Amino acid sequence: MDTMNILWRNMKWRFQNPVSILLTIIQPLIWLVLYSAIAGQSMRDMSGGNYTAFILPGIMVLVTLSCCSSGGYLNFIMKSKGSFYRILIAPVKRSSIVLGQMLEAVLLSFIEIVILFVLSIFLSVRIASGFTGLLLMLPLIFLTAFFMSGLSYAISLYLPNEVIYETIMNLIVLSIFFTSTALFPMDSISGGLKIAVMINPFAHVINCLRSLILETSIDWQNLLLMAGVFICLCCGSFSLALWRLKREAVH
């Protein structure tokens, strides 16, 4: 119940400040519409004729990373208003505080990804693996968002102000995005960049999502492997965020 109360409290703040939602989706929408229209003319061979469908998984991950990054920003707003410390001294489990705020970022990610999906339908994107593929995309997106929201939460508690936080998170998000297969297939990447892409777990999530969109067959082995990797990453980020919040309460 405590988790749901904190989740609802944060979501209510979001919808009272809709500009925070708008800002996190403007950039991905620009990427999806403009970049696919401009670059798609010369890259149709990469996507089997629909470059928008090819880059959609990467844009989905970018939306997820942006939403979860904005989730950590809430801590600085709460600290400036004093509500952060009121929650700390309230009879609420520390795990509920962390989980409630992380789930808010996850829920916001899903809302914005739904918007992207609706827009992509008008751009002739279809999921080749059908309804099963759509259902399999949900846990991948959830795990990606949960991991990033925990990491963002922990980082926000380490830093002194929102300016430094925003700078660091932008660096992290853009580094993850551009060292992935979001815009180009793995075959077109070589050298040191290819090594960076190979060790980037988000690149493999993008590949899994892309295969569900573009291919009729489902690679269950790869899906289960990535789900297992991200479950471990989620446990690590949640533990780090919880540990950091407990340290914050001590100080």
Side-chain angles (χ1 to χ4, degrees):
M1 184 59 68
D2 290 335
T3 300
M4 295 306 297
N5 288 336
I6 292 173
L7 170 61
W8 171 244
R9 178 181 178 278
N10 289 343
M11 286 303 299
K12 192 163 64 171
W13 179 88
R14 286 280 189 184
F15 287 106
Q16 288 172 349
N17 299 270
V19 67
S20 67
I21 300 176
L22 183 63
L23 289 176
T24 57
I25 199 171
I26 284 177
Q27 182 182 0
L29 285 177
I30 292 174
W31 278 98
L32 183 65
V33 177
L34 295 184
Y35 192 84
S36 63
I38 295 171
Q41 297 298 321
S42 59
M43 300 181 183
R44 292 188 185 280
D45 57 322
M46 296 179 181
S47 57
N50 190 341
Y51 187 61
T52 304
F54 180 85
I55 66 171
L56 178 60
I59 303 302
M60 289 163 55
V61 170
L62 178 60
V63 165
T64 301
L65 298 180
S66 299
C67 289
C68 294
S69 297
S70 68
Y73 192 83
L74 281 176
N75 280 332
F76 296 104
I77 297 175
M78 292 168 62
K79 283 182 177 180
S80 65
K81 294 183 176 180
S83 57
F84 179 86
Y85 302 102
R86 289 196 296 270
I87 292 176
L88 278 184
I89 62 175
V92 180
K93 290 183 179 180
R94 301 287 183 263
S95 58
S96 296
I97 297 173
V98 176
L99 190 58
Q101 192 157 328
M102 289 174 64
L103 290 178
E104 184 269 339
V106 173
L107 182 57
L108 180 61
S109 298
F110 273 102
I111 292 173
E112 299 202 358
I113 285 175
V114 168
I115 296 173
L116 277 179
F117 260 117
V118 172
L119 177 61
S120 68
I121 292 174
F122 293 100
L123 297 174
S124 303
V125 175
R126 301 292 182 267
I127 300 177
S129 56
F131 186 69
T132 302
L134 179 61
L135 289 180
L136 290 173
M137 293 171 72
L138 299 180
L140 286 176
I141 296 170
F142 175 85
L143 291 172
T144 302
F146 194 88
F147 164 64
M148 193 62 190
S149 62
L151 184 62
S152 301
Y153 189 96
I155 291 174
S156 70
L157 295 180
Y158 273 102
L159 300 177
N161 59 66
E162 60 271 26
V163 176
I164 297 176
Y165 172 78
E166 187 174 1
T167 302
I168 290 178
M169 292 310 302
N170 283 336
L171 178 62
I172 292 174
V173 169
L174 292 177
S175 298
I176 290 173
F177 183 72
F178 286 110
T179 56
S180 72
T181 55
L183 303 177
F184 306 98
M186 183 69 76
D187 297 340
S188 66
I189 303 173
S190 60
L193 180 59
K194 188 167 187 175
I195 297 175
V197 171
M198 290 295 295
I199 62 177
N200 181 358
F202 294 93
H204 298 285
V205 169
I206 291 172
N207 290 338
C208 287
L209 293 171
R210 181 172 291 141
S211 67
L212 292 172
I213 292 175
L214 299 179
E215 300 175 11
T216 55
S217 60
I218 297 175
D219 187 351
W220 291 98
Q221 183 177 356
N222 195 32
L223 285 173
L224 292 174
L225 175 61
M226 288 314 303
V229 169
F230 266 84
I231 287 173
C232 294
L233 290 174
C234 288
C235 292
S237 69
F238 177 77
S239 299
L240 178 63
L242 181 59
W243 174 78
R244 186 58 198 171
L245 183 65
K246 291 180 178 178
R247 289 289 300 271
E248 192 81 12
V250 171
H251 292 89

